[in-house]
Amino acid sequence: MLMLVRVYTLAYITYFGFYVSREPYSLVKSTLMATWEPFNGENGWLLLGILDTLSLTAYAIGIMVVGYLCEIYDSLHIVVVGSIGAGVTTILYGMANFWNIHNYWYFVVLRILNGFAEAFGWPPLIKMLDHHFCNEDKRDFILTAYATCKFLGIVVGSLISSFSLSFDTWGYAFIYCGCVVIAIGIVDAFFLPNLPPTVSNIEEATPILAGPGKPSKDLNTVEMPITQREVFWQALKMPGIIDYSVHLFFVKLSVYIFYYWIPTWFVSVTIGGKAITYVYACYYTALWGAGGIVGTLLIGWCVYLQTLYGVYSSLYSLAAGVIILVLYSYSTYQSSVIAVFLLIVFAVGVTQLAPYSLSSACMPSVINRIGRESAGGNTKLVGMATGIIDGVGSVGAISGPLFGAIILQYTTWGWGFVFLVVALAMFAAAVVLALQVNKEVYQVYRNINTLREL
């Protein structure tokens, strides 16, 4: 039991650190556009949007690669390398403030390297947790609740950034957050176990011989490993993996427009006759992340009570689309009240980030388990399944920030159209799970009829 607590706690803190290091990139945009060349020119929106897209493209490519690598290499080493890499690139980005660097290519190279380093966290950690908690009856809730580390990272990263921006020096936000993830990576290197002893050598498992040339009668209990070439295709054949990959594409499209641009939107909003400052924009972003923590725990508990993954994901996505439209509409209301505004921001976090957590953290394990039970799937493909689902989702993440930047830079549609896109993406995320919802509702109907016959 102590081993499980240790693994879960360190894994939770590890990815929390990754998200802390991501937060300054979105929160300092308004400051960069106001004070720092080349972002304070007329193309500032586009230049920052391109940086986001390059980073997320590197992440999408990286997470596919890492999803494969963590099936054949030590997951712990991958995580440690990623933590240190993410921290170093974040610190170097912030040092541009003190070294007076205004060369755009400096920021381009660092964002690409940072995006690739960030990809080294999620697949190996999910694979590690799935192995350690493979016999727990609450595994779905445990894995979904684990995703709250992302939103806790948003909250803490926002608070660190707000503290730094209060000194009118944006570079400190990157340095402090980068140091956090490096320190966590060093702790992991010494204290985070990789896999429990019962499965640590499963990759090299071979049949035990009862005697010369005689296979043990337990031979059929040893699962023969698939070849490295088959890893991707075997994972791609798992039931439901395409549906949830496309679902996460639309969810990430919506979430990442918000994640990278909502602090800037906050600064442009006037609530109750008062403009929102940079520091308070960080606080309100933290509130959105806090809503994600609550929403993730709620949806995790729902699927633990009733395994209707598609139904709950669709309902949360539909609710998010509606509340996002309400948020923008209320922000344009002349007599808006700050307390009501913040309540709606919190509600957006609850509904928008919950399906994001379920699909990225819990579904790879669920799909892997369903594939094993229905078609003899391989139990060692959680990392690859995570890479596929999160990789496809990351294509949506790539599209979102750049799409928002283009709208704001080159059109007169403004924030209203950006919010419309964010809402429509959540509606689309609900629609693509229609087949899964139909299967789950039909299964519930059959179960009810079976109980009636009894």
Side-chain angles (χ1 to χ4, degrees):
M1 184 63 184
L2 290 176
M3 172 65 78
L4 295 181
V5 172
R6 176 183 167 191
V7 170
Y8 194 84
T9 302
L10 287 173
Y12 190 97
I13 293 173
T14 299
Y15 210 67
F16 155 82
F18 275 99
Y19 256 77
V20 168
S21 69
R22 291 184 185 186
E23 196 60 19
Y25 293 103
S26 62
L27 291 173
V28 303
K29 280 182 176 176
S30 297
T31 303
L32 293 176
M33 292 175 66
T35 63
W36 201 260
E37 293 181 5
F39 306 110
N40 60 351
E42 59 182 13
N43 294 323
W45 294 101
L46 184 62
L47 292 177
L48 289 169
I50 289 173
L51 289 181
D52 294 337
T53 299
L54 290 173
S55 177
L56 292 167
T57 301
Y59 178 87
I61 295 172
I63 205 163
M64 289 285 194
V65 174
V66 173
Y68 172 77
L69 291 178
C70 70
E71 300 295 350
I72 57 177
Y73 294 114
D74 188 337
S75 296
L76 177 59
H77 293 163
I78 294 173
V79 170
V80 172
V81 169
S83 298
I84 296 175
V88 170
T89 51
T90 300
I91 291 172
L92 289 175
Y93 197 94
M95 289 304 297
N97 189 190
F98 305 98
W99 293 340
N100 200 30
I101 295 176
H102 298 274
N103 189 317
Y104 186 64
W105 287 104
Y106 176 85
F107 299 101
V108 166
V109 171
L110 285 177
R111 287 304 302 273
I112 292 173
L113 293 176
N114 179 262
F116 194 76
E118 291 280 350
F120 279 59
W122 194 245
L125 286 171
I126 290 296
K127 178 182 173 66
M128 202 179 296
L129 288 172
D130 182 75
H131 276 296
H132 282 276
F133 291 90
C134 60
N135 296 319
E136 297 292 319
D137 61 346
K138 295 181 180 179
R139 178 168 59 173
D140 293 347
F141 176 72
I142 289 170
L143 291 177
T144 305
Y146 173 73
T148 60
C149 64
K150 299 179 179 181
F151 313 128
L152 184 61
I154 291 175
V155 172
V156 175
S158 298
L159 296 177
I160 292 174
S161 298
S162 67
F163 173 77
S164 303
L165 291 175
S166 65
F167 294 100
D168 295 325
T169 306
W170 58 267
Y172 283 127
F174 292 91
I175 294 172
Y176 294 154
C177 292
C179 288
V180 169
V181 71
I182 289 175
I184 293 173
I186 294 172
V187 171
D188 286 343
F190 292 99
F191 298 105
L192 178 62
N194 187 14
L195 294 175
T198 53
V199 296
S200 59
N201 295 318
I202 195 168
E203 300 287 349
E204 294 83 24
T206 54
I208 300 174
L209 299 181
K214 297 179 182 180
S216 165
K217 55 185 177 181
D218 292 330
L219 175 63
N220 60 349
T221 64
V222 178
E223 187 174 299
M224 301 303 292
I226 61 176
T227 64
Q228 295 179 8
R229 293 182 180 180
E230 294 175 329
V231 167
F232 177 79
W233 296 110
Q234 288 283 0
L236 198 62
K237 293 176 183 177
M238 293 178 178
I241 195 168
I242 301 297
D243 304 64
Y244 282 99
S245 296
V246 178
H247 168 73
L248 191 59
F249 167 86
F250 286 111
V251 171
K252 276 199 166 186
L253 173 65
S254 174
V255 167
Y256 273 72
I257 292 178
F258 247 52
Y259 182 67
Y260 280 99
W261 288 113
I262 194 173
T264 308
W265 175 70
F266 282 139
V267 175
S268 71
V269 171
T270 300
I271 302 296
K274 295 182 179 180
I276 298 175
T277 65
Y278 296 139
V279 173
Y280 276 91
C282 296
Y283 294 153
Y284 299 164
T285 304
L287 182 65
W288 175 68
I293 295 174
V294 174
T296 297
L297 294 175
L298 286 175
I299 200 171
W301 188 250
C302 287
V303 297
Y304 168 66
L305 296 176
Q306 187 70 46
T307 55
L308 302 175
Y309 307 102
V311 171
Y312 291 127
S313 293
S314 296
L315 289 177
Y316 271 81
S317 298
L318 290 172
V322 173
I323 298 174
I324 286 166
L325 295 177
V326 170
L327 175 63
Y328 180 75
S329 299
Y330 189 77
S331 70
T332 62
Y333 182 52
Q334 294 295 327
S335 302
S336 55
V337 179
I338 188 65
V340 176
F341 176 76
L342 296 180
L343 182 62
I344 300 173
V345 170
F346 182 80
V348 170
V350 170
T351 54
Q352 186 186 34
L353 298 176
Y356 172 38
S357 300
L358 185 66
S359 294
S360 61
C362 177
M363 292 316 300
S365 176
V366 172
I367 289 170
N368 183 69
R369 188 166 67 247
I370 293 173
R372 174 177 171 78
E373 293 171 353
S374 63
N378 192 291
T379 58
K380 299 187 291 296
L381 294 180
V382 176
M384 190 70 254
T386 305
I388 291 173
I389 293 175
D390 213 39
V392 174
S394 294
V395 177
I398 293 167
S399 309
L402 182 61
F403 191 59
I406 291 173
I407 293 172
L408 296 169
Q409 180 78 61
Y410 293 112
T411 74
T412 58
W413 300 334
W415 287 108
F417 191 75
V418 172
F419 271 75
L420 179 61
V421 171
V422 171
L424 289 176
M426 294 306 299
F427 292 141
V431 171
V432 297
L433 288 182
L435 182 60
Q436 296 299 319
V437 171
N438 181 64
K439 289 179 180 178
E440 291 171 1
V441 171
Y442 178 68
Q443 186 61 45
V444 171
Y445 176 76
R446 287 185 59 185
N447 292 342
I448 292 175
N449 283 341
T450 301
L451 291 174
R452 285 177 177 173
E453 291 174 1
L454 295 176

